[in-house]
Amino acid sequence: MLICGTVWAQTARPAVHVEVILDSSGSMKDNDPKRLSALGAMIFTDLAADSDRLGLESMRQPRYTLEALSSVATKRSKIRSVAKSIKFTGTTDCAGPLNVASKALKGASDGKKFVIFLSDGACPNSNAGGSEAVRRAALELKRQNVKVFGIGLSSAGEQDLRLMADVTDGEFFRADKASDLPQRFADILGRIVGSEAVNVPIVPGKSSTISLDGYVRDASLIVTGSRPVRVTRATGPDGSKLSLPTKSAPYESGGSNFFVSANGNGAGSHYTVLRIDQPESGEWDFVIDAPRDAKAILIQNYALEPSLDLGAKTVATVGDTSPVRCELKGPDGKTLKDPSFLEKVGVELEVVAPDGKRTKTKMKLANFRFAHDLKIQQSGRYRLRARAFMRSGGLNKQTGYSDLSAIDFDLAFGEGASIDLGTLKAGETSKDYTLSMEFSRLAGEVEVDTQTQKLDGISVAPGKVKISPDKTDCTVRFEVSPDHPGGPVEGLLVMSSQGDDTSIPVRGNVVAITFWERWGETILLVGGGILALLLLLFIFYGFLSPYSFPEEARLNWGNTIERLEKNEVVIREIPKTGSGFYRNAQLSVGGPSSYFPVGGVELVTLEATSSTQVTITAAEGVELMRVNKFDHDKEKPVETGSTGMTSGEIFRAGEIYLRLR
């Protein structure tokens, strides 16, 4: 589908760069005795915005430049003066001034660029290169995106001027007589701003009513005559008046929303230009002091830009109809719904078919949109552009070309094809469905992409299938996401290939799965894994966490202090003193199973409580005494009955003395 939008923005138009080339050859004395070419250039200068840049070239060799490309705001008066004083002498030269203009415009990086070339003769001696030199110069301008507008004052130079225009995608204008030149310069300004220069009737010296359209950025009124011309009054639809100067021409002046200039070319031709910025739409009343032969031209610079958008689908199929729509956008960016304005607007669609045939069709207005159904009749590249215009003259803007590819290929399902999935459970895969694409137009085997639309949580597999003229059936299945919330489903199965697509309806019902159905197996697996890990950690820790007696730890014992020096054993060498499952290494002193029976009564237990620490604990009913190392007769009871043993300390339990070393 094609969409054409016209966008309005209440801002000044973008600046442009223009090189004006005037024919200064001797033949112009006969063809333009009233120097109306100079008058046209002066009018164009006054019509230009302050932000524009203008340059003026002639055919005078070897110096072509009359005024270098510069800002209109600072050089308007100078450019008018130079144009007025141009001399007609010498021969016609085209390539020379074209090359000079090309170099000047090459440095202009921002904004659109144009050349206006006026001539009354052919260019046979363009630097001795003939038309080939003109072609090379025009090609260089095209590389810079410069358009040439040619104005032919006679048929003699039409071929060369058309060549310049055609090569640069510009336009040629014929001026049958010199008096047409001001109109042609106005026409060219209209092309630059996207409008038509329209002749409007006026009554010199009396009130003249001129209607201005809506959505106009600025409007320019040009009046020419055989004696000085000036606008003495301009009254808007709301009754407000412009503060126009009352003095005699020549002059230029301006206000917050207008610019006015009155001038002459010094050869009996005069003009005035009045430009009004963002004028109110409706009927304006003008009083113009002008001779009876005066002519008036109106240029309205609309703040509208038509644009073509091919959208996501840029490929059509031969035999299909591609709908084209054109919308006009208002100041707020929304579709313009102003019936009175839209009735004045027309949109023309230009189509260049693959065989080169060019057609133009008026689009029809319906529901505030312009529409046309484009019939695709050939394979290849179609080129399309739209032109928006006012039916009464004025707006005249067109887009650049946009391409639409057409292929002799079509995907189509068999008649009445559809898929009923029945009832599926979330997480399930459907049965296989065999689809017939017997109505497809195929040249050979093609790979087709498959996907679902509007079937959230349901996908199709495989993602690609192959069909051919001999085998148009394919098999697919549908996969439902485990997260599907359940409920009725309805959407499309879309098959696409080579820019073409087709679809069939898909419907069914999905039953959501419960939490335990979705996660039960996972929970059991994870829970079992956690329990197994805890068991391993329990076993691992049970064997590795208990402490053993230090390797160097030795124990002295005896029933007297003196015997401590005689009895010594390495604790680890005593049987049954190793660590066990979740049990630190221990040594019992006393008792029937002790290494030191000592009368068969258990006295104390020694336990490894860290890698370097040994704790001594008295048995129930046994008093544990700490013996002073320096005075063995002094003893102090261990109140808690348990304490850590340090090397060299002596303890007594019952009748036995113990020392850890």
Side-chain angles (χ1 to χ4, degrees):
M1 179 173 289
L2 302 173
I3 300 175
C4 171
T6 304
V7 182
W8 186 70
Q10 197 168 359
T11 58
R13 69 168 172 81
V16 296
H17 310 271
V18 184
E19 279 281 318
V20 179
I21 301 174
L22 297 180
D23 192 338
S24 59
S25 63
S27 59
M28 288 291 286
K29 293 179 181 179
D30 297 324
N31 291 326
D32 185 19
K34 294 186 177 181
R35 304 178 61 81
L36 293 173
S37 57
L39 188 78
M42 295 169 68
I43 291 173
F44 187 88
T45 302
D46 283 338
L47 289 172
D50 287 348
S51 58
D52 293 339
R53 299 177 71 224
L54 294 184
L56 190 61
E57 314 290 340
S58 72
M59 295 182 178
R60 187 182 62 197
Q61 303 181 38
R63 180 176 174 81
Y64 299 100
T65 301
L66 300 177
E67 185 61 34
L69 188 68
S70 55
S71 170
V72 172
T74 58
K75 292 294 184 73
R76 195 188 303 271
S77 178
K78 179 68 178 301
I79 296 173
R80 283 198 308 256
S81 176
V82 171
K84 185 189 298 186
S85 62
I86 191 171
K87 295 180 179 180
F88 295 150
T89 181
T91 59
T92 300
D93 182 8
C94 298
L98 272 180
N99 289 325
V100 171
S102 175
K103 291 178 182 178
L105 291 168
K106 195 171 186 177
S109 58
D110 58 329
K112 295 182 178 180
K113 298 179 283 188
F114 305 92
V115 169
I116 300 174
F117 196 115
L118 184 150
S119 177
D120 71 343
C123 310
N125 299 313
S126 296
N127 295 331
S131 293
E132 184 56 34
V134 174
R135 179 182 293 277
R136 286 197 300 269
L139 287 172
E140 177 57 31
L141 288 167
K142 181 177 176 62
R143 278 190 284 270
Q144 299 179 40
N145 293 319
V146 179
K147 289 186 177 182
V148 176
F149 293 110
I151 304 176
L153 188 51
S154 71
S155 60
E158 184 170 331
Q159 179 179 347
D160 297 309
L161 293 170
R162 285 190 180 277
L163 172 65
M164 301 175 200
D166 291 344
V167 169
T168 61
D169 297 323
E171 190 171 351
F172 170 77
F173 295 85
R174 167 73 70 82
D176 293 324
K177 50 188 181 299
S179 58
D180 294 335
L181 292 177
Q183 174 76 47
R184 297 297 170 261
F185 274 95
D187 289 337
I188 291 172
L189 178 70
R191 292 293 190 273
I192 291 174
V193 302
S195 184
E196 290 277 359
V198 179
N199 289 293
V200 292
I202 61 169
V203 181
K206 295 183 180 181
S207 176
S208 298
T209 300
I210 299 176
S211 293
L212 300 185
D213 294 322
Y215 308 97
V216 170
R217 183 180 283 127
D218 58 73
S220 297
L221 179 65
I222 308 109
V223 184
T224 60
S226 58
R227 66 172 177 80
V229 180
R230 63 191 183 99
V231 179
T232 60
R233 188 178 72 196
T235 307
D238 60 356
S240 60
K241 298 180 179 180
L242 301 181
S243 300
L244 300 174
T246 58
K247 59 185 178 181
S248 301
Y251 63 80
E252 69 174 62
S253 181
S256 61
N257 66 330
F258 75 92
F259 167 81
V260 64
S261 171
N263 249 295
N265 66 352
S269 297
H270 304 265
Y271 73 91
T272 187
V273 167
L274 172 61
R275 185 180 70 242
I276 307 172
D277 297 327
Q278 296 181 5
E280 183 178 355
S281 62
E283 293 188 345
W284 281 69
D285 181 66
F286 296 95
V287 176
I288 304 169
D289 182 9
R292 305 186 80 178
D293 62 353
K295 295 180 180 180
I297 303 170
L298 177 67
I299 301 176
Q300 299 187 80
N301 176 16
Y302 296 81
L304 303 170
E305 292 294 338
S307 63
L308 274 176
D309 182 7
L310 298 179
K313 186 174 181 179
T314 59
V315 179
T317 303
V318 173
D320 285 353
T321 297
S322 182
V324 182
R325 293 186 310 179
C326 180
E327 298 178 345
L328 302 181
K329 301 294 184 178
D332 55 2
K334 298 180 181 179
T335 300
L336 188 64
K337 296 184 178 181
D338 181 352
S340 61
F341 182 79
L342 290 174
E343 288 174 358
K344 303 175 185 178
V345 177
V347 175
E348 180 182 72
L349 180 67
E350 179 183 341
V351 180
V352 182
D355 61 3
K357 183 180 178 181
R358 189 183 305 264
T359 58
K360 294 182 179 181
T361 305
K362 297 293 192 307
M363 304 178 73
K364 296 180 179 180
L365 178 63
N367 296 324
F368 309 110
R369 295 177 177 179
F370 297 87
H372 175 69
D373 291 333
L374 178 63
K375 184 70 173 179
I376 306 300
Q377 298 177 329
Q378 308 170 33
S379 61
R381 184 180 69 164
Y382 282 81
R383 307 196 71 200
L384 304 98
R385 66 178 176 182
R387 180 176 70 91
F389 60 93
M390 299 299 289
R391 299 183 187 279
S392 60
L395 175 67
N396 184 22
K397 290 190 177 183
Q398 66 183 12
T399 68
Y401 282 106
S402 295
D403 292 344
L404 176 67
S405 296
I407 55 175
D408 193 9
F409 168 85
D410 189 31
L411 291 176
F413 286 103
E415 187 174 356
S418 65
I419 295 176
D420 187 349
L421 297 176
T423 299
L424 292 174
K425 201 162 190 176
E428 285 186 347
T429 299
S430 75
K431 66 178 183 180
D432 287 348
Y433 291 88
T434 299
L435 305 175
S436 173
M437 303 195 73
E438 58 183 322
F439 292 163
S440 298
R441 189 164 66 249
L442 309 171
E445 184 180 71
V446 295
E447 189 174 66
V448 181
D449 295 324
T450 66
Q451 62 178 345
T452 58
Q453 282 186 5
K454 300 180 181 179
L455 290 172
D456 294 339
I458 300 179
S459 59
V460 62
K464 295 179 183 295
V465 297
K466 290 183 178 181
I467 60 175
S468 66
D470 299 328
K471 184 179 179 298
T472 57
D473 289 352
C474 60
T475 301
V476 299
R477 58 189 174 277
F478 296 85
E479 298 172 350
V480 185
S481 167
D483 297 323
H484 200 289
V489 295
E490 189 170 348
L492 298 172
L493 169 63
V494 180
M495 313 283 277
S496 59
S497 180
Q498 300 182 22
D500 188 45
D501 61 63
T502 187
S503 61
I504 57 172
V506 178
R507 62 180 61 87
N509 187 64
V510 176
V511 178
I513 59 177
T514 65
F515 177 83
W516 185 251
E517 287 175 324
R518 172 73 188 278
W519 299 108
E521 185 177 353
T522 302
I523 291 173
L524 290 175
L525 288 174
V526 173
I530 292 174
L531 290 175
L533 178 62
L534 290 175
L535 179 61
L536 288 174
L537 289 174
F538 176 77
I539 296 172
F540 180 81
Y541 189 76
F543 283 109
L544 298 182
S545 63
Y547 294 106
S548 299
F549 287 110
E551 292 184 6
E552 70 279 5
R554 300 186 304 279
L555 183 67
N556 300 115
W557 78 95
N559 54 5
T560 64
I561 293 295
E562 289 75 14
R563 294 293 299 176
L564 293 177
E565 300 298 331
K566 296 180 179 180
N567 298 327
E568 183 177 273
V569 63
V570 177
I571 297 177
R572 281 198 174 192
E573 294 178 356
I574 300 173
K576 299 181 180 180
T577 57
S579 61
F581 187 69
Y582 275 97
R583 182 180 64 79
N584 292 330
Q586 294 180 353
L587 172 65
S588 295
V589 177
S593 61
S594 168
Y595 182 73
F596 310 103
V598 193
V601 179
E602 183 178 358
L603 299 175
V604 295
T605 300
L606 276 64
E607 181 180 356
T609 53
S610 77
S611 60
T612 59
Q613 178 70 40
V614 176
T615 299
I616 183 170
T617 303
E620 186 176 358
V622 177
E623 185 177 32
L624 181 64
M625 305 295 291
R626 191 188 303 273
V627 181
N628 191 302
K629 291 190 294 184
F630 303 104
D631 186 352
H632 297 157
D633 293 331
K634 294 181 179 181
E635 296 181 348
K636 184 177 181 180
V638 177
E639 295 181 356
T640 61
S642 179
T643 184
M645 299 181 71
T646 59
S647 181
E649 277 191 307
I650 301 173
F651 292 88
R652 182 179 65 80
E655 299 298 326
I656 193 166
Y657 291 90
L658 299 170
R659 180 174 65 191
L660 184 69
R661 300 182 66 181

